[in-house]
Amino acid sequence: MGVELKGKRVLLVEDNELNRELSKEILENEGVIVDEAEDGDVAVEKVRLSKKRPYDFILMDIMMPRMDGYEATIQIRALENKRLAAIPIIAMTAAVTPEDKLKVLEVGMNAHLSKPVAIPELLSTIKDFLGSYQQLEGEFSKLI
């Protein structure tokens, strides 16, 4: 787990302001640069517009009023820009049934974290997926 979080960019997608503030504080304490979206539709647009400086990962709530995390993930994965479409997406949700966990993977998210999220588990999961994504990105850049 040698991935450094300092300076990484995250899109934190959470409709609950208190949850968003708590998560933001945890991440900023690790040196992560946090951008926020309060709903899935806002998240999709922010990812679409991030071509010049893409996010390193996305933390996605599932249950949001206008567009849920499932639909937001489906739309992000369908983006024409393959680099943006491949950004690691980690679900942070109170939905914890086996069916919920399966659906998270089926729509293209990379991992499922149950709320309330334990800080060590959150940081470990982020580092795991960032390491994998950076390897893929390196391989992708060799092909261009």
Side-chain angles (χ1 to χ4, degrees):
M1 276 208 261
V3 176
E4 177 68 38
L5 292 181
K6 186 175 183 177
K8 299 295 184 195
R9 294 185 71 232
V10 63
L11 179 58
L12 175 60
V13 188
E14 169 66 66
D15 64 318
N16 181 292
E17 188 175 352
L18 179 59
N19 287 346
R20 207 168 49 242
E21 285 303 312
L22 290 171
S23 297
K24 181 179 179 179
E25 185 174 332
I26 291 165
L27 294 164
E28 286 180 341
N29 285 340
E30 296 295 320
V32 176
I33 301 163
V34 180
D35 191 11
E36 301 172 53
E38 71 281 351
D39 210 300
D41 56 347
V42 176
V44 172
E45 191 59 21
K46 284 189 173 210
V47 171
R48 189 185 332 270
L49 296 174
S50 73
K51 291 177 197 166
K52 290 185 180 177
R53 191 153 180 241
Y55 297 103
D56 293 296
F57 62 102
I58 299 168
L59 294 175
M60 181 79 71
D61 185 22
I62 299 296
M63 294 177 256
M64 294 178 283
R66 291 189 308 271
M67 180 186 290
D68 66 31
Y70 298 128
E71 181 59 30
T73 298
I74 290 167
Q75 289 191 25
I76 290 168
R77 294 296 185 234
L79 291 173
E80 208 170 297
N81 182 314
K82 296 306 173 200
R83 183 173 182 207
L84 299 179
I87 295 170
I89 302 175
I90 300 167
M92 292 196 325
T93 178
V96 296
T97 68
E99 294 80 15
D100 294 325
K101 292 177 181 181
L102 182 61
K103 187 167 183 181
V104 159
L105 299 175
E106 286 175 343
V107 299
M109 292 185 190
N110 302 90
H112 177 283
L113 294 173
S114 303
K115 288 181 185 175
V117 177
I119 296 170
E121 182 184 11
L122 171 65
L123 298 177
S124 171
T125 301
I126 291 168
K127 288 178 180 182
D128 286 348
F129 283 99
L130 276 180
S132 299
Y133 179 66
Q134 288 171 348
Q135 278 185 316
L136 280 174
E137 202 172 40
E139 293 300 314
F140 180 71
S141 66
K142 290 177 190 175
L143 298 174
I144 297 176

